[in-house]
Amino acid sequence: MPTVDLDQLDYVVPFKQFCDHLRTVHSRSHFDEDELQKRYQHYKEKVLARQLSSFFASNKDKQWFQEKYHPKLSKDRIDDTKRRRLLNLLEFQNQLNDGKYDEVNYDAPKAAQDTAGNDEQKDEAEAGNTSGQEDQDMSAVEYESHLIIKTVPPTIARQKIIEMCSGVEGFEYLVLSEPSPNKKFHRIGWIHFKQGTDMQKAFNELDTRKIDDFIFHLAMNQKNQYQSRTSKVTPEIASTPKRLQKDIEQAKQLAKHLESELGDDVNGLEKVAERAKQVIAKHTENKEDENWELKKELDMILAYLRHVHMYCYYCALECDSLEEINRRCVDPHLRKISGSGEEVDAKQSAKNDKNGCSQEQDSNMTSTGAQWAKNIDQKIAMKVNVPEDRELEKWGGKILKKELDSYVKEHVLKEHEAKYKCRVGDCTKAFKGFEYVEKHIFTKHNEEVDVIKEEVEYYNSYVCDPNHLVQANNPHMNNGSMGMGSMGNGMPISMSSFMMNMNGGMRAPPGLGHVQGATYGTPWDQIPRIGFGESNWAMGNRRDDGLPRDPRQVKSYVDLDAPAEGDADISFY
């Protein structure tokens, strides 16, 4: 049977499968562990480049993609986002001076640690749900000063929607969510109006309006509507002294970078740090938590990042609006309290043994926390640092000099050693040397050169987005699954295959009690096998009595619904 050429696949195979393939193709060669890891990393980088190039080619002409990444077409969106962040800064500074953030605390209470929110939660509050309103006096109902667009196609430009809304009295601004890959890249929109606007009248004017034959359906939200969503919770590593100190330094670096994008005169971080010192100085006694001062300073900076710059530090997620960031990660993103510093103490270990938790499971939890920390560190580094050419190429980006050199070589015809012709368009001008043709192309055909420069900038803007989407074509994954949850194949950020305890938030199949489900990337021989009539598999009493088996194939349980770090696909309707 011929082996499959892995270079022809548009997804990354697991490490074990790659090693088996390598040993099959090079049967007479021996590879040590370091060599296998090196080759596998190189293989993943090649697949990444193909995935990014394919996704870019498929979406570069779509409105949502151009508005987010195009060097020129994204300018209006970026300027609008900066304007709203500056308004957020003014409001935040007033609230900071009033003491609103003096008591901010991101430590998760015990109840929140047990019922941590995940990406599967659905936010129905934004759907304009009017259930239960039959018994209310509708004339007395007050609505939020925004309307919700339930779905916006990826082919409709934001400017067209703004033009549609501009004729309505009180219109202020429009924000759109990130596209949802599972919904054909459709988006959600929020149309904001000035306070005091008659929202029912605005709704009646805009609902069922058409743009390019697409009918827009809107919804209204009642004020003070109850939301049942729960916050996400970080791993315990986020509460260790070493990590707290690193997060403070990294959050400050991130805040300075985001401030530099708003202007040289923006110094909100300094005021937050000054206020934090004042709060810490007032509370010199009765601090049970030895890391209280670190946490207080960090939490006030995290609040500043979220409420001004629309950035969730613990998700390493940047959004264009407060509505979008609250949709994808409900405020606050809590920090799980560590049991005893950086290591689990003897008392906790005894508790784990009593509960049947093995050292391997404890090691997996530690590994998961370290991987989580590594992921957010790498995403933030991508945001604040300009990558060098070598690093950019490793991520799958394009090097401008290489692209220009390639273009010149393709458009120079060498007839003999002393005659080179330009082949750009209809130009056939001849020169004595290659370097003269190259200079000619850059000076006389600068329009074509500018197109290449713009395309490279456009492509690299997409590649360097820490939360960019990428096509996930693996046949073992849900169709259409994209985003950070499936970027273990493509992102330069190493995403581990998280193993999730079935009792930790998911209902296990009957008879499987404490079995763990395997996520994508788990070697096939390590996936728990659930066969017909083998309900005692988890207890180790696997049936081997020679009795007839069910003729159907044994099924593998793969937890495709396990939450992943990054984007949350939360429906508002």
Side-chain angles (χ1 to χ4, degrees), residues 93-160:
Q93 288 177 341
N94 292 332
Q95 294 174 341
L96 185 69
N97 294 333
D98 293 339
K100 178 178 178 179
Y101 297 100
D102 289 356
E103 302 300 325
V104 65
N105 182 12
Y106 283 100
D107 280 346
K110 185 63 171 63
Q113 296 185 41
D114 294 338
T115 59
N118 57 51
D119 293 347
E120 297 174 358
Q121 293 177 339
K122 307 297 181 183
D123 180 14
E124 298 180 357
E126 290 284 358
N129 184 7
T130 58
S131 60
Q133 295 178 5
E134 293 79 358
D135 298 333
Q136 300 180 18
D137 181 6
M138 298 306 295
S139 62
V141 173
E142 294 187 14
Y143 294 100
E144 298 285 356
S145 59
H146 64 257
L147 298 176
I148 298 162
I149 308 176
K150 294 184 177 181
T151 180
V152 179
T155 55
I156 293 181
R158 59 184 287 114
Q159 190 58 39
K160 288 187 177 182

Side-chain angles (χ1 to χ4, degrees), residues 44 235 237 243 363-379 488 492-498 565:
K44 288 195 297 182
I237 191 174
R243 184 66 209 181
S363 176
N364 287 340
M365 292 175 61
T366 304
S367 175
T368 298
Q371 187 62 54
W372 168 85
K374 181 180 179 181
N375 285 343
I376 67 169
D377 290 347
Q378 290 180 333
K379 287 186 186 180
I493 299 166
S494 50
M495 301 284 287
S496 64
S497 297
F498 294 102
E565 292 296 325

